[in-house]
Amino acid sequence: MRYIYNESTDPAFNLAAEEWLLTESVDDIFMLWRNRPAVIVGRNQNTLAEIDEAFTRERGIPVVRRLSGGGAVFHDLGNINFTFINNGNPSEGLDFERFTVPIQQALRAMGVECVFSGRNDLLIDGKKFSGNAQHFHGGRILHHGTLLFASDMTDLSGALRVDPEKYRDKAVKSVRSRVTNISSHLQTPMEVTDFIRALMDFVSEGAAPDDMALTGRETSVIDALAERRYRTWDWNFGSSPAYNFSKRTRTQGGLLDVNLYVKKGRILKARLFGDYFGVRDVAPLEERLLDCRHERTEIEARLADVPLDEYLHDVTLPALLDSLF
């Protein structure tokens, strides 16, 4: 088995690294890595339905889609991600628990009692600290999981807070759980980097750390893959299943009731109802939204030259944009 400590904290690069090692490598892999603050959504999810769009936008938190299914998770530097890649066949079915056994053993060696629970979680004292997901490709299986070590729970809850009534779709929904940090249960306190070293040393049985980096060539091709896929709006948002969006917003000009139908990330239908006033019929404004990405910057650019007050009196462009997310 090849043991990798990937020191990049770029979420797009790190998810691209997983894909490249899955599809282009023949080695069995165990990899540890961290992301700077980011939201990672499951392959089959509607991205906007999983995040607080304003919260992530205002804080510059990237949102990236992964290959595997399951729910959305918040990553920060207090969270450690582990990845196993080896040969596997979809006909054998999903088996989350067997890949978590080395993690459980390592934690018990540090004095932390934990258990596998439900479909894909690890718990300490009934609280979740690890969620796991899998993806098959060409006779290979990728299993990855999170390990909350010292994550900022405020950012975690804020980035994933969303009103479920706004989105109607058939996408996979995230299930929120009570969570805990591993660091709160250690008998001897340690820094996250010390924990990473201890975990890697346990799983690798003392493999030489000098051999654990990605090569220069691997870094180059992985970064190119990140640019083609994991840094693009089309993958992270446009790949969402079709959905209906509805939201009622009280504006200075009155109640605004927005209804959108979005497919492949683009607005195909738009209706603006409400008790607002206007000297023009709202239909041309609705038409202006058609085929626009359901993305704040693009919508803002599309409406920049529209005399908005003539359609929606006393409704500002920022207020209209807020009503669309």
PDB file of all heavy atoms in Angstrom, residues 4 23 66 186 228 231 261:
ATOM      1  N   ILE A   4       0.132   8.312   1.669  1.00  0.00           N
ATOM      2  CA  ILE A   4       0.321   9.687   1.196  1.00  0.00           C
ATOM      3  C   ILE A   4      -0.170  10.658   2.257  1.00  0.00           C
ATOM      4  O   ILE A   4      -1.303  10.545   2.743  1.00  0.00           O
ATOM      5  CB  ILE A   4      -0.455   9.929  -0.118  1.00  0.00           C
ATOM      6  CG1 ILE A   4       0.025   8.984  -1.226  1.00  0.00           C
ATOM      7  CG2 ILE A   4      -0.310  11.388  -0.565  1.00  0.00           C
ATOM      8  CD1 ILE A   4      -0.821   9.049  -2.495  1.00  0.00           C
ATOM      9  N   THR A  23      -8.473   6.770 -10.655  1.00  0.00           N
ATOM     10  CA  THR A  23      -8.624   6.405 -12.070  1.00  0.00           C
ATOM     11  C   THR A  23      -7.315   6.146 -12.798  1.00  0.00           C
ATOM     12  O   THR A  23      -7.294   5.430 -13.796  1.00  0.00           O
ATOM     13  CB  THR A  23      -9.393   7.507 -12.820  1.00  0.00           C
ATOM     14  OG1 THR A  23      -8.655   8.741 -12.741  1.00  0.00           O
ATOM     15  CG2 THR A  23     -10.788   7.705 -12.231  1.00  0.00           C
ATOM     16  N   ARG A  66     -17.994  16.559  -4.742  1.00  0.00           N
ATOM     17  CA  ARG A  66     -17.102  15.399  -4.756  1.00  0.00           C
ATOM     18  C   ARG A  66     -17.676  14.303  -5.652  1.00  0.00           C
ATOM     19  O   ARG A  66     -18.816  14.403  -6.124  1.00  0.00           O
ATOM     20  CB  ARG A  66     -16.889  14.870  -3.339  1.00  0.00           C
ATOM     21  CG  ARG A  66     -18.136  14.355  -2.658  1.00  0.00           C
ATOM     22  CD  ARG A  66     -17.854  13.800  -1.252  1.00  0.00           C
ATOM     23  NE  ARG A  66     -19.059  13.216  -0.670  1.00  0.00           N
ATOM     24  CZ  ARG A  66     -19.896  13.856   0.128  1.00  0.00           C
ATOM     25  NH1 ARG A  66     -19.662  15.123   0.448  1.00  0.00           N
ATOM     26  NH2 ARG A  66     -20.971  13.257   0.603  1.00  0.00           N
ATOM     27  N   LEU A 186      -9.605  13.262  24.018  1.00  0.00           N
ATOM     28  CA  LEU A 186      -8.262  12.714  24.175  1.00  0.00           C
ATOM     29  C   LEU A 186      -7.821  12.778  25.631  1.00  0.00           C
ATOM     30  O   LEU A 186      -8.049  13.778  26.321  1.00  0.00           O
ATOM     31  CB  LEU A 186      -7.260  13.490  23.309  1.00  0.00           C
ATOM     32  CG  LEU A 186      -7.353  13.284  21.789  1.00  0.00           C
ATOM     33  CD1 LEU A 186      -6.454  14.284  21.081  1.00  0.00           C
ATOM     34  CD2 LEU A 186      -6.962  11.864  21.415  1.00  0.00           C
ATOM     35  N   ARG A 228     -10.026  21.807 -14.667  1.00  0.00           N
ATOM     36  CA  ARG A 228     -11.049  21.379 -15.634  1.00  0.00           C
ATOM     37  C   ARG A 228     -12.383  21.059 -14.962  1.00  0.00           C
ATOM     38  O   ARG A 228     -13.433  21.223 -15.573  1.00  0.00           O
ATOM     39  CB  ARG A 228     -10.591  20.132 -16.401  1.00  0.00           C
ATOM     40  CG  ARG A 228      -9.453  20.320 -17.347  1.00  0.00           C
ATOM     41  CD  ARG A 228      -9.329  19.144 -18.310  1.00  0.00           C
ATOM     42  NE  ARG A 228      -9.271  17.852 -17.640  1.00  0.00           N
ATOM     43  CZ  ARG A 228      -8.155  17.276 -17.208  1.00  0.00           C
ATOM     44  NH1 ARG A 228      -7.001  17.901 -17.344  1.00  0.00           N
ATOM     45  NH2 ARG A 228      -8.199  16.079 -16.632  1.00  0.00           N
ATOM     46  N   ARG A 231     -12.852  23.286 -10.019  1.00  0.00           N
ATOM     47  CA  ARG A 231     -12.908  24.733  -9.839  1.00  0.00           C
ATOM     48  C   ARG A 231     -13.958  25.377 -10.739  1.00  0.00           C
ATOM     49  O   ARG A 231     -13.987  26.592 -10.865  1.00  0.00           O
ATOM     50  CB  ARG A 231     -11.533  25.357 -10.101  1.00  0.00           C
ATOM     51  CG  ARG A 231     -10.450  24.906  -9.126  1.00  0.00           C
ATOM     52  CD  ARG A 231      -9.160  25.698  -9.260  1.00  0.00           C
ATOM     53  NE  ARG A 231      -8.140  25.180  -8.361  1.00  0.00           N
ATOM     54  CZ  ARG A 231      -7.026  24.575  -8.733  1.00  0.00           C
ATOM     55  NH1 ARG A 231      -6.759  24.443 -10.032  1.00  0.00           N
ATOM     56  NH2 ARG A 231      -6.167  24.109  -7.858  1.00  0.00           N
ATOM     57  N   TYR A 261     -37.856  27.548 -12.101  1.00  0.00           N
ATOM     58  CA  TYR A 261     -37.554  26.156 -12.441  1.00  0.00           C
ATOM     59  C   TYR A 261     -36.156  26.144 -13.034  1.00  0.00           C
ATOM     60  O   TYR A 261     -35.873  26.872 -13.999  1.00  0.00           O
ATOM     61  CB  TYR A 261     -38.553  25.573 -13.441  1.00  0.00           C
ATOM     62  CG  TYR A 261     -38.174  24.174 -13.898  1.00  0.00           C
ATOM     63  CD1 TYR A 261     -38.192  23.108 -13.000  1.00  0.00           C
ATOM     64  CD2 TYR A 261     -37.771  23.937 -15.209  1.00  0.00           C
ATOM     65  CE1 TYR A 261     -37.832  21.835 -13.399  1.00  0.00           C
ATOM     66  CE2 TYR A 261     -37.406  22.662 -15.617  1.00  0.00           C
ATOM     67  CZ  TYR A 261     -37.439  21.612 -14.703  1.00  0.00           C
ATOM     68  OH  TYR A 261     -37.067  20.349 -15.107  1.00  0.00           O
TER      69      TYR A 261
END
